[in-house]
Amino acid sequence: MQLLEFEKPVAELERELEKLRTKAASQNIDMSAEIETMEGKLADTRRSIYENLTPWQRVQIARHTNRPFMLDYVSLAFTDFSELHGDRHIGDDLSMPGGFARIGGKRVVVLGHQKGRDTKENLKRNFGSAHPEGYRKSLRLMKLAEKFGLPVIALIDTPGAFPGIGAEERNIAEAIAYNLREMMLLKVPVIAVVLGEGGSGGALGIGVADRVLMMENAYYSVISPEGCAAILWKHRKHAPEAAEAMKLSAPDLKKLDLIDDVIHEPTGGAHHDHQATAANFQAVVLKHLEELSKLPVDVLLDRRYAKFRAFGDWQGK
């Protein structure tokens, strides 16, 4: 598994603990006291590191290749997934899968960004950066959800929309802008969840929702920390300072009322336990889905509009 720099003290203690257990078993020696001491030290070290993560460390966890991706959540937290393809204009964008599914027995439309874990899959999924076709497909699925009265669950995990020449030629900006307008008017509940990376307009293109949720170690920002550092400090090495200044982590965004809820991850991050993470995800999504399903359509739309209009309000002391 990919080991992050700040996790090395934990990995070292885990190796030491494994050596003690192996020695005790192979030589039939009672080392329960030493093992218990090491377990306590390991637990304290884990707690010290993971309860005091910096925004930059959370960004690193958000990008971990072993984190559960969109289709992992679909597999673990949803049932009866039936994928739909194509935008009815150009083609099918595999970086933005979606379709009909059930969560907790409730019928929904689920869609989102899908990354890859190896070179072959990343090329297939375009590193989670959608083309215009992906955003047009996602809107087609949302309109289907509206037609059949189904809630929409949008799963965000992208460094940003694809910036290539082809995407520009096929009008990526217009595709995203159109989604922003149309999502504001959807007459069904919409829940967006930032799973890992929530980068710029690529994330916002499926992020206009009644409830915006974030995994505990995800980030949501107008630009990457490296991009911000390159602009303001003229060097990417200042990305940690940029991450701190940008307030892009879930705890900071919750304090600023820019998101509605934070979904807890297992100690060390979602990549350590996919099943537990998916269970937490399902419970929180169902809670918000239950609340939204009770609202009349006119109230739902008014609250969604007011929610986004309130962003950016500031009162000096």
Side-chain angles (χ1 to χ4, degrees):
M1 181 184 287
Q2 175 190 354
L3 186 64
L4 301 174
E5 186 66 31
F6 63 87
E7 293 181 311
K8 287 182 178 179
V10 172
E12 182 61 34
L13 288 173
E14 287 175 338
R15 283 193 291 269
E16 292 297 324
L17 179 59
E18 186 59 32
K19 286 180 182 177
L20 286 176
R21 287 172 174 165
T22 301
K23 183 177 180 180
S26 63
Q27 299 182 19
N28 197 24
I29 303 174
D30 182 8
M31 302 187 71
S32 55
E34 291 89 340
I35 290 173
E36 185 177 347
T37 299
M38 184 62 72
E39 287 175 338
K41 188 175 181 180
L42 176 58
D44 290 341
T45 302
R46 277 184 177 146
R47 193 178 306 111
S48 174
I49 291 175
Y50 295 121
E51 289 183 0
N52 299 284
L53 290 169
T54 67
W56 176 240
Q57 288 170 337
R58 291 188 190 277
V59 169
Q60 291 174 282
I61 294 176
R63 294 170 174 170
H64 201 289
T65 55
N66 289 104
R67 277 180 78 82
F69 293 151
M70 182 264 183
L71 290 176
D72 295 317
Y73 283 97
V74 169
S75 174
L76 295 170
F78 295 79
T79 58
D80 302 325
F81 178 57
S82 179
E83 187 173 357
L84 301 178
H85 299 271
D87 70 340
R88 301 297 185 266
H89 291 283
I90 301 295
D92 190 33
D93 187 350
L94 296 180
S95 63
M96 184 84 82
F100 295 109
R102 293 180 186 271
I103 181 169
K106 299 178 184 294
R107 294 174 64 228
V108 298
V109 165
V110 59
L111 55 94
H113 305 99
Q114 173 67 21
K115 293 180 176 178
R117 288 201 166 86
D118 55 34
T119 302
K120 182 178 179 181
E121 192 179 1
N122 267 318
L123 291 173
K124 175 182 176 182
R125 301 293 181 180
N126 204 38
F127 297 85
S129 293
H131 293 83
E133 298 78 59
Y135 292 99
R136 293 182 179 121
K137 176 171 69 172
S138 69
L139 184 59
R140 182 174 76 84
L141 299 186
M142 292 180 211
K143 290 292 188 180
L144 273 177
E146 184 178 54
K147 178 179 180 179
F148 294 115
L150 304 177
V152 173
I153 312 294
L155 306 182
I156 298 168
D157 191 8
T158 180
F162 187 59
I165 293 175
E168 295 293 343
E169 289 174 342
R170 298 191 303 279
N171 215 337
I172 185 76
E174 184 269 349
I176 291 174
Y178 194 68
N179 275 27
L180 302 186
R181 186 187 74 183
E182 294 301 306
M183 288 187 75
M184 188 63 73
L185 302 173
L186 285 174
K187 296 177 182 177
V188 291
V190 183
I191 295 176
V193 188
V194 184
L195 304 179
E197 293 188 277
S200 192
L204 195 58
I206 58 169
V208 178
D210 301 294
R211 299 288 165 83
V212 179
L213 319 177
M214 281 182 71
M215 302 305 297
E216 185 179 359
N217 293 309
Y219 80 87
Y220 199 14
S221 173
V222 70
I223 193 172
S224 70
E226 294 91 337
C228 177
I231 293 170
L232 297 184
W233 283 275
K234 309 303 180 186
H235 202 290
R236 294 164 64 93
K237 70 179 181 181
H238 294 284
E241 295 101 300
E244 179 71 37
M246 292 163 68
K247 305 298 181 187
L248 46 62
S249 68
D252 284 335
L253 292 171
K254 182 67 173 69
K255 288 178 186 176
L256 293 169
D257 289 329
L258 293 175
I259 62 169
D260 299 289
D261 210 345
V262 179
I263 302 175
H264 178 69
E265 296 183 22
T267 301
H271 55 285
H272 286 284
D273 193 334
H274 287 201
Q275 291 282 356
T277 302
N280 294 344
F281 166 93
Q282 185 187 64
V284 176
V285 168
L286 284 173
K287 180 190 77 169
H288 287 282
L289 200 56
E290 184 68 27
E291 293 172 1
L292 292 171
S293 65
K294 297 175 182 177
L295 300 177
V297 172
D298 58 339
V299 175
L300 189 75
L301 292 174
D302 287 345
R303 289 188 180 181
R304 188 186 304 159
Y305 178 80
K307 171 188 178 66
F308 283 88
R309 287 290 291 177
F311 287 178
D313 279 1
W314 181 81
Q315 291 183 339
K317 294 184 179 179

